[in-house]
Amino acid sequence: LNAMDNVNEKKQFPIMRFVVCFNYSPSNKHYYECCAKPECKKKKLVPTLDGQFICNKCGQKTSNPKFSYFLNIKIQDDSGSTYLDVFGDHAERLIGFPAAIYKQKYESKDSQWFHQLSKNFIGKNYILLAKPNIEISIEGTIKKKLVACGIYN
């Protein structure tokens, strides 16, 4: 993980045997509404005044959007720890449930389910293929992040 200091934004690199070591918080909403059209792949929908959602890319309006995950987790290996952004199918592989089920449990405040859920992946070993992402703020602050491209156990 210390290799993050020397990353090139275009490369992907494996991190072997990392451990998820964050305190999972069910109080955070870890899902978002996204376009259900497979060819669109728009990541986030905009809510409308009539309670529906609209995709800014393809223009589709829906009251039943697809749900996808967004996790920002702390991972660790022998060289140190860092944070990793995990989206969609990769996050679903970690969580073990589709985002629509997660949404239902989140809205019902099922704390026992969330406690058991965190035991499914915290402290377990995974292999990761990640892409470094460098963000530069308006103030010029550079933030290096990792985005998961593949997670395997």
Side-chain angles (χ1 to χ4, degrees):
L1 295 175
N2 285 336
M4 269 297 289
D5 294 334
N6 301 312
V7 297
N8 177 326
E9 216 173 333
K10 302 288 182 201
K11 292 183 180 178
Q12 293 182 354
F13 56 96
I15 299 173
M16 304 304 287
R17 294 182 359 201
F18 79 88
V19 176
V20 177
C21 59
F22 76 121
N23 290 326
Y24 178 77
S25 172
S27 62
N28 295 330
K29 179 180 160 184
H30 295 286
Y31 63 89
Y32 58 94
E33 298 81 8
C34 58
C35 188
K37 287 176 76 174
E39 64 275 7
C40 181
K41 298 188 188 314
K42 178 67 178 170
K43 304 299 185 224
K44 193 166 183 181
L45 300 181
V46 178
T48 62
L49 295 175
D50 62 0
Q52 294 193 19
F53 296 89
I54 191 162
C55 176
N56 282 343
K57 184 176 179 184
C58 72
Q60 179 172 312
K61 194 172 182 181
T62 183
S63 57
N64 297 312
K66 180 182 172 189
F67 295 96
S68 191
Y69 284 111
F70 168 72
L71 301 175
N72 180 260
I73 60 173
K74 186 175 183 182
I75 62 172
Q76 179 177 331
D77 70 5
D78 293 339
S79 68
S81 65
T82 192
Y83 286 88
L84 171 71
D85 288 342
V86 187
F87 296 93
D89 294 341
H90 305 301
E92 189 172 313
R93 221 173 274 126
L94 279 177
I95 299 287
F97 297 94
I101 292 173
Y102 181 97
K103 176 187 178 292
Q104 291 172 349
K105 297 296 185 178
Y106 176 83
E107 290 174 346
S108 71
K109 309 278 189 234
D110 188 342
S111 61
Q112 189 174 25
W113 185 83
F114 281 104
H115 179 71
Q116 182 58 43
L117 174 68
S118 64
K119 289 181 178 181
N120 289 347
F121 57 91
I122 294 177
K124 303 249 167 89
N125 288 306
Y126 296 91
I127 297 172
L128 167 71
L129 184 63
K131 180 176 85 173
N133 186 22
I134 299 171
E135 295 177 354
I136 302 173
S137 70
I138 295 172
E139 298 82 25
T141 306
I142 297 173
K143 184 176 183 181
K144 295 179 182 181
K145 297 171 84 175
L146 282 177
V147 177
C149 298
I151 295 179
Y152 312 95
N153 35 351

